[in-house]
Amino acid sequence: MSIQDVSPCVKCYIMEVQPNETLTNLKAESDTLKTKLEDERAKLHDVELHQVAEKVDGLGQFIMKTRRTLKGHGNKVLCMDWCKDKRRIVSSSQVSVWIIVTFSEEHAVTMPCTWVMACAYAPSGCAVACGGLDNKCSVYPLSLDKNENLAAKKKSVAMHTNYLSACSFTNSDMQILTSSGDGTCALWDVESGQLLQSFHGHAADVLCLDLAPSETGNTFVSGGCDKKANVWDMRSGQCIQSFETHESDINSVRYYPSGDAFASGSDDATCRLYDLRADREVAIYSKESIIFGASSVDFSLSGRLLFGGYNDYTINVWDVLKGTRVSILFGHENRVSTLRLSPDGTAFCSGSWDHTLRVRWAALIGIHIFGTRGTVV
Amino acid sequence: MTIRNVRDHGQRFRPRMACLKKVESVMLEMQDPKTGVKSQPQRLVITTIPHAITGEDIVAWLTNCYSIETEEAWALGTMLVAFGYIYPLQDHKRLVIKPDASLYRFQTPYFWPAQQWPVEDTDYAIYLAKRNIRKKGILEMYEQVQYNSLHKWMNHKWDFIVMQAKEQYRAGKERKKPDRVVFDCQERAYWVVHRPPPGTVSAMDYGLERMVDPNTEELVLCLFSLFSSLVKYSVTYNKHDPFLAPCLPSNPWVTDDVTYWLLNMANVEIPTKMRVERWTFSFAELLSDPRGRDDFRLFLKKEFSGENLAFWEACEDLKWGTAATMNDKAQQVYKTFLTRGAPRWINIDGKTMEVTVKGLKHPHRYVLDAAQTHIFMLMKKDSYGRYLKSPVFKDTQKRAICPDQHMFSVSQLEANARKRRPSISPIIVRQLEQEERARMATSGPVDITQVMSKLSNKGKEVPPSKK
């Protein structure tokens, strides 16, 4: 950097240097000043998301109602996932895995297992994967026969050296992505159980993962007890981006629907939004009154709303663009442990340690959307 | 749908970037409280404008800072005004520096010109509409002409525009008067720069578009534009979000009526208008909806370029498929699409072909990545645009249905609730698909597009499941 590139205020500073200073010292000084100038310039670019969103309409008041309450697990619900048919879910608890056709509230299948912390529905809807304290992820092909013993046909796919915290099928039934308490994530071939790729980089338990939504995407994001959220390239196993701004364990990560950003929920009682192209955190969703950790997050279809399930039994709904809380939902009688939007965005399901799963819909007050005459259902 | 509009000075590869960065660093220095241009509140008509600076102060500062002659400083100052970083408080349409006591202000960074964020006609329409609301007849002649023209070609979203304008106007009224005056000045200045009056020279004019995207070299990314794209996504999908806008005819979870799901099944003959609208948002959106993909496939067939989509699908199948069948699949793809004289030969550039063929000697699941990306971009940049203008799409669009909203009485809702039934099990759906595939396989050489389109017509005549 030549002396001409430096602003007048900086020039003066350099001129005051003592005669016995060496050239290297001077260079070091000017480098520091250059960084400071860059920081200043960057600050000018430091617009906040909510400022850019100023022109966008604010959200009004919401009504959110529970449409289905599914009891029957008889135990803490730990995880759930939707089937692509938008009506069925798989949910897991400390002692069993249920497949439920939530729309008609029909329990389809029960499988006794122990401490199943992760479960996922296959894209075809014909199998589910689950695992937990057994350090494994197993795939169960489903059957039309309700009485069939599914455990007999189960296939062990993933083997970790510690508990399985999360699992997800990729774009087909043939591959599964897992994350584990052993600090790694892994991609497996279902048919053979072969390890296709492993992902090392977290310094502690990995608690969650989410696949990128884009059509040509080959990346996923994971969050861990090391407070880091890492973005991985599935092909090479490389960690391509890392974000470390949370102050505690990251319990849940979810991509923004466009795939350009992702949200995280953490034990530090905040949810945060990270933009992948800006390579930094761009919003924090927090309130002084929210003290307990967020266990699970998901976006609404347009990405405007962020639903967060918290350890204080509530669900907070955030306006992603404006950074404000739009609504707080009560109803669960213990921690909310899992929360997912249905595949077409018409409802979301939350599972809790109070043994229930609740499916809720929502509507902005003032928009005539109920399709009902008379009372709100 | 990307509508190319010369007025918004291009969507990509505008080559103005380098100077914008430099100007911004100058602006930073000019606004330094100690060594920048000295500013003071000035009384102007009946209001007091904070932080106003005079033209002669600006020129003097530039002269000093860069050790240049007054004339050169004057020219530089004019460029700063022409680009919209400084704006005049009087005679606002003339973007020049007058080296006298004429007053100027620094433009807020929110309104600075940005490379990646094109200045949209929608925003201009909202701005003009807002001014119209404030006081009818206030628009200048050239603005009125623009307004009429925008009204004509943006007719389909005019309600949205008027709504936004009203909202902004209302929000503006709630501000304190001095803030409002300042904001109005800033906004007006912004639009003078980006929608200049006729006959004036515009600094935003940059000549031919470049072939190379300067944005890829950018290290300090403009957050403003990134945030804007997040905001834009949400706003675009707002009407499609069941939490923010009504599902037509009704949300099944609310009314226990599943018409919404039936109308939006993967393989319906006639899609809904909302669904078709989503296909216009992006190519990825079109491809990810099976019905949309079918429509696109039909279009490609008529253009005799169906092999591109077939190849892309084959690559996806390879990537996400079972490890055991991978080798065979890769060879099959090579024979069908890549080798010389292949039945469905795809057109990729020499280098990509070379890399792909070399990789196929030791195939792995990502061996076709380069070729797949090339074909994807080809479809996205070329076929997709033509598809949206094609008779195939226009016909689908015309036939698309828009169901009326349900109006159920309380007793009807109760009846709906009683009639809830589980849907077809996905297992049955898959069985049917497999049977269909088997039937196709036994009937001679398979044209993959025919298999896919036949499959897409199935799925409706399924037997009711056992309870």
Side-chain angles (χ1 to χ4, degrees), chain B residues 410-430:
Chain B
V410 176
S411 54
Q412 279 173 318
L413 287 173
E414 284 169 11
N416 286 348
R418 281 195 297 272
K419 276 192 282 180
R420 285 187 217 151
R421 293 281 177 267
S423 57
I424 309 282
S425 166
I427 301 172
I428 297 185
V429 173
R430 190 166 74 169

Side-chain angles (χ1 to χ4, degrees), chain A residues 24 31 40 45-46 57 180 196 224 234-235 237 240 252 254-255 303 307 316 333 342 359-360 365:
Chain A
T24 27
D31 277 62
E40 288 298 317
H45 289 279
D46 234 356
D57 280 351
S180 165
L196 298 173
M234 272 167 57
R235 291 168 294 188
I240 49 184
S252 172
R254 192 75 68 214
Y255 272 92
F307 300 99
N316 290 294
E333 290 159 19
S342 83
V359 178
R360 289 172 225 242
I365 298 181

Side-chain angles (χ1 to χ4, degrees), chain A residues 239-372:
Chain A
C239 173
I240 49 184
Q241 273 173 295
S242 187
F243 303 89
E244 192 173 350
T245 61
H246 270 293
E247 291 159 21
S248 189
D249 301 357
I250 297 180
N251 297 314
S252 172
V253 285
R254 192 75 68 214
Y255 272 92
Y256 186 78
S258 71
D260 293 325
F262 70 90
S264 60
S266 158
D267 274 349
D268 68 4
T270 68
C271 296
R272 294 171 200 239
L273 186 70
Y274 297 91
D275 188 305
L276 294 169
R277 293 156 307 165
D279 196 25
R280 46 166 269 184
E281 174 193 289
V282 296
I284 306 186
Y285 307 102
S286 66
K287 250 174 123 65
E288 294 221 326
S289 55
I290 302 178
I291 308 172
F292 295 92
S295 63
S296 49
V297 295
D298 205 352
F299 286 98
S300 73
L301 188 140
S302 64
R304 183 65 192 273
L305 301 175
L306 180 70
F307 300 99
Y310 288 73
N311 292 342
D312 62 1
Y313 319 170
T314 66
I315 295 174
N316 290 294
V317 186
W318 302 91
D319 180 334
V320 170
L321 301 180
K322 303 218 184 233
T324 52
R325 184 178 65 184
V326 192
S327 195
I328 176 166
L329 309 174
F330 304 97
H332 278 298
E333 290 159 19
N334 205 327
R335 284 192 189 193
V336 178
S337 53
T338 176
L339 189 157
R340 293 298 292 258
L341 190 79
S342 83
D344 64 352
T346 47
F348 72 89
C349 180
S350 58
S352 159
W353 282 10
D354 69 1
H355 308 185
T356 69
L357 292 137
R358 283 164 200 262
V359 178
R360 289 172 225 242
W361 66 280
L364 278 168
I365 298 181
I367 295 184
H368 184 62
I369 76 145
F370 309 132
T372 69

Side-chain angles (χ1 to χ4, degrees), chain A residues 2 4-5 26 28 50 73 100 175 218 227-228 317 343 371:
Chain A
S2 78
Q4 269 74 24
D5 297 351
L26 280 172
H50 65 86
H73 259 293
I100 307 170
Q175 289 170 20
N218 294 303
K227 311 175 207 167
K228 286 207 279 212
V317 186

